[in-house]
Amino acid sequence: MPVDQQTGVRLYQFIVDQLEDRRREHYPAGREAYEADWTAAHDLEKDFAEAVHAGDLATAEQLLQQLTAMAAPWQDHPHHPDNYTDGGRQPAGTVRGSRP
């Protein structure tokens, strides 16, 4: 994945979407776990954005790896950010209704 602002946002939003799905599945239980995981993802994305903006690519790469690790449980999800091309689009076959 490229180390840029868009990658961090895409990864963060994917994580948050999955956390919200998990929270709905486990409602009303799971609120505390959701809040802790959401806060961790939010803080990582914020720190990643700051590192990218400051040009600190080593720190940005490390933070991106941590965000990627947070998204790992959903690796097989069709909207996982690893399923996107460098142009930011999902390859044919991963988008609903597309043909390989």
Side-chain angles (χ1 to χ4, degrees), residues 12 34-46 67 70:
Y12 167 73
Y34 165 81
E35 289 174 358
D37 290 343
W38 182 91
T39 299
H42 181 266
D43 290 347
L44 281 172
E45 196 280 330
K46 180 181 163 225
L67 278 167
M70 282 191 82

Side-chain angles (χ1 to χ4, degrees), residues 9 11 14-15 19 28 32 44 46 49-50 52-53 55 62 65 68 74 78 80 82 90 96-97 100:
V9 169
L11 197 49
F14 173 78
I15 292 166
L19 292 175
E32 291 175 10
L44 281 172
K46 180 181 163 225
E50 290 173 358
V52 168
H53 183 70
Q62 178 186 13
Q65 289 175 5
T68 301
W74 304 288
H80 191 284
D82 280 348
Q90 288 184 308
R96 197 178 329 170

Side-chain angles (χ1 to χ4, degrees), residues 19-30:
L19 292 175
E20 288 175 359
D21 287 348
R22 186 178 72 187
R23 180 185 63 170
R24 281 189 290 275
E25 290 172 6
H26 297 248
Y27 184 82

